[in-house]
Amino acid sequence: MIVIMKPGATKEQITAIVNRVKKEGLDVQLNDGKEQVVIGLLGDTTKLLDVAFNSYEGVENTVKITHSYKLTSREFHPDNTVVDINGVKIGDGSMTMMAGPCSIEGLDQIMECARMAKAGGATILRGGAFKPRTSPYAFQGLEEEGLKYIRQAADKFEMQVITEVMDEANLDLVAEYSDILQIGARNMQNFKLLQAVGKTGMPVALKRGISGTIDEWLNAAEYIAAQGNFNVIFVERGIRTYETATRNTLDLSAVPLIKKLSHFPIIVDPSHGVGIWDLVPAMAVAGVAAGADGLIVEIHPDPANAWSDGPQSLNEKTYLNMMEQVHIMENAMQEINKIKTV
Ligand code: PEP
Ligand code: MN
């Protein structure tokens, strides 16, 4: 349930509601929006069914939220959330670009990737130091050494870092070097890890699970938000379907759907979405057309010799060409957004 206060409701009127809710042992989360304050009631709201909140002064309306996620919902937070990563904004209407290799392979490699990424307009450098590989015998990442390299490369090119944290044990370490914590598809429902990244208050890029439904994904975000962390970025990276011609099936309908149901921004990962490099540009452009707040793309100076995900990585030439296409669609979207009615 949420209690929507009238525009201009006083502090005392808000406190009266908060105290009434807390008296029943429930918790609250306040959203101080542009127009009005919305109070989210967290816990067993059946205890409050008899309370006539609408007759409290300053209350405009009460709305029962039927989904199990509350803080993540549009009802609770009607305005878009803008995640600010040291000045790089995601969700403010701009298109934020993240690019880099699947795995950090060494200092020279990540430096070269950072140079390429930046040349295409990326402001955030991606690269895995802890790699969730299907085979236990495949390269598992350079771990702390890799984190040091990506930080160095990002600092040199004045970029932000996004890298995956695979477990709670390495959270402090990853947080020390990264600006965004990436939760991989395989960990979308690792609830303890979600709570732990929630507690850091840091920006979290939450990838959609390999077979994650929209509802499960929204609830995963709720685990982070419930810790008071509203810096969540959804990442659509494709889901497993019967189709095997592409690595995954990139579900672009998730973009407008997530935007309808939630206030958190959503970006698209066409690289893992299709797994085939020459299909990546078309799906990147399509992601922007679907309304994504950004893209995350794998690039490599020599994809044929990449230590992981070479087949889906773009070389410099194809990446720069893709970015030209993306910029054209970005501009078209500015026009489209002016006439959009839904
Ligand atoms: C990655 O970003 O390299 C990665 C492993 O992604 P996902 O968790 O989406 O498979
Ligand atoms: Mn990868």
Side-chain angles (χ1 to χ4, degrees):
M1 195 191 302
I2 54 174
V3 178
I4 304 166
M5 302 302 291
K6 287 181 179 153
T10 65
K11 248 194 182 144
E12 290 72 28
Q13 290 169 342
I14 295 165
T15 310
I17 302 292
V18 170
N19 290 344
R20 183 67 188 83
V21 174
K22 290 201 166 166
K23 211 174 123 192
E24 299 297 340
L26 276 80
D27 211 353
V28 296
Q29 180 82 41
L30 257 60
N31 171 36
D32 200 349
K34 266 194 227 122
E35 310 260 308
Q36 51 211 144
V37 169
V38 178
I39 307 171
L41 279 45
L42 306 177
D44 180 10
T45 48
T46 53
K47 289 183 189 164
L48 294 166
L49 286 180
D50 295 335
V51 182
F53 284 113
N54 285 352
S55 34
Y56 275 67
E57 272 181 55
V59 171
E60 186 173 282
N61 199 9
T62 52
V63 177
K64 196 169 167 359
I65 300 186
T66 45
H67 354 271
S68 47
Y69 54 90
K70 318 267 178 219
L71 307 175
T72 300
S73 72
R74 257 297 163 200
E75 290 93 332
F76 171 64
H77 195 292
D79 303 322
N80 288 335
T81 284
V82 179
V83 178
D84 188 330
I85 304 121
N86 305 313
V88 174
K89 294 192 169 69
I90 305 183
D92 66 346
S94 62
M95 213 289 300
T96 306
M97 191 64 207
M98 310 183 186
C102 179
S103 296
I104 303 155
E105 300 169 8
L107 185 58
D108 291 349
Q109 176 251 16
I110 191 71
M111 281 287 177
E112 179 57 3
C113 288
R115 185 197 61 71
M116 281 166 57
K118 178 108 186 198
T123 47
I124 300 172
L125 181 63
R126 67 145 289 149
F130 290 94
K131 295 304 304 175
R133 305 306 300 282
T134 301
S135 161
Y137 307 116
F139 174 59
Q140 305 283 311
L142 292 183
E143 304 193 345
E144 187 170 7
E145 193 191 346
L147 294 173
K148 286 186 177 153
Y149 295 158
I150 194 171
R151 185 74 263 168
Q152 233 179 297
D155 288 348
K156 178 164 177 207
F157 289 91
E158 295 179 326
M159 298 174 80
Q160 308 301 315
V161 170
I162 177 169
T163 196
E164 177 163 353
V165 56
M166 279 178 59
D167 48 38
E168 278 178 86
N170 287 304
L171 176 55
D172 289 347
L173 181 69
V174 175
E176 198 184 318
Y177 293 98
S178 195
D179 302 300
I180 305 174
L181 300 168
Q182 176 177 320
I183 297 295
R186 292 152 193 81
N187 267 324
M188 187 197 82
Q189 287 191 310
N190 182 339
F191 301 121
K192 290 286 174 208
L193 182 60
L194 296 176
Q195 284 170 331
V197 296
K199 285 196 186 103
T200 66
M202 284 178 67
V204 178
L206 179 62
K207 286 204 158 194
R208 184 171 179 183
I210 287 173
S211 298
T213 66
I214 296 285
D215 193 68
E216 287 164 346
W217 197 13
L218 289 159
N219 275 291
E222 187 77 6
Y223 267 90
I224 300 166
Q227 298 298 325
N229 188 345
F230 277 61
N231 295 308
V232 177
I233 305 150
F234 288 105
V235 187
E236 166 59 43
R237 48 77 74 204
I239 47 174
R240 179 166 292 176
T241 67
Y242 58 82
E243 184 55 76
T244 53
T246 47
R247 180 176 179 178
N248 291 296
T249 297
L250 188 63
D251 177 14
L252 288 179
S253 65
V255 177
L257 184 53
I258 286 288
K259 283 190 164 291
K260 182 162 95 172
L261 299 173
S262 178
H263 52 94
F264 290 130
I266 176 166
I267 67 169
V268 168
D269 174 351
S271 308
H272 294 87
V274 291
I276 304 165
W277 71 270
D278 57 344
L279 304 186
V280 170
M283 298 316 280
V285 172
V288 177
D293 298 291
L295 297 169
I296 181 164
V297 169
E298 287 184 344
I299 58 172
H300 197 282
D302 181 14
N305 288 300
W307 294 4
S308 62
D309 285 351
Q312 68 194 33
S313 300
L314 301 178
N315 65 20
E316 183 164 12
K317 199 167 152 235
T318 48
Y319 164 65
L320 293 180
N321 179 265
M322 179 192 80
M323 289 313 295
E324 271 185 59
Q325 300 174 41
V326 163
H327 289 317
I328 291 170
M329 182 51 77
E330 224 182 304
N331 291 333
M333 287 309 286
Q334 304 279 346
E335 297 305 312
I336 287 172
N337 285 333
K338 284 185 202 158
I339 60 156
K340 239 182 190 174
T341 53
V342 282

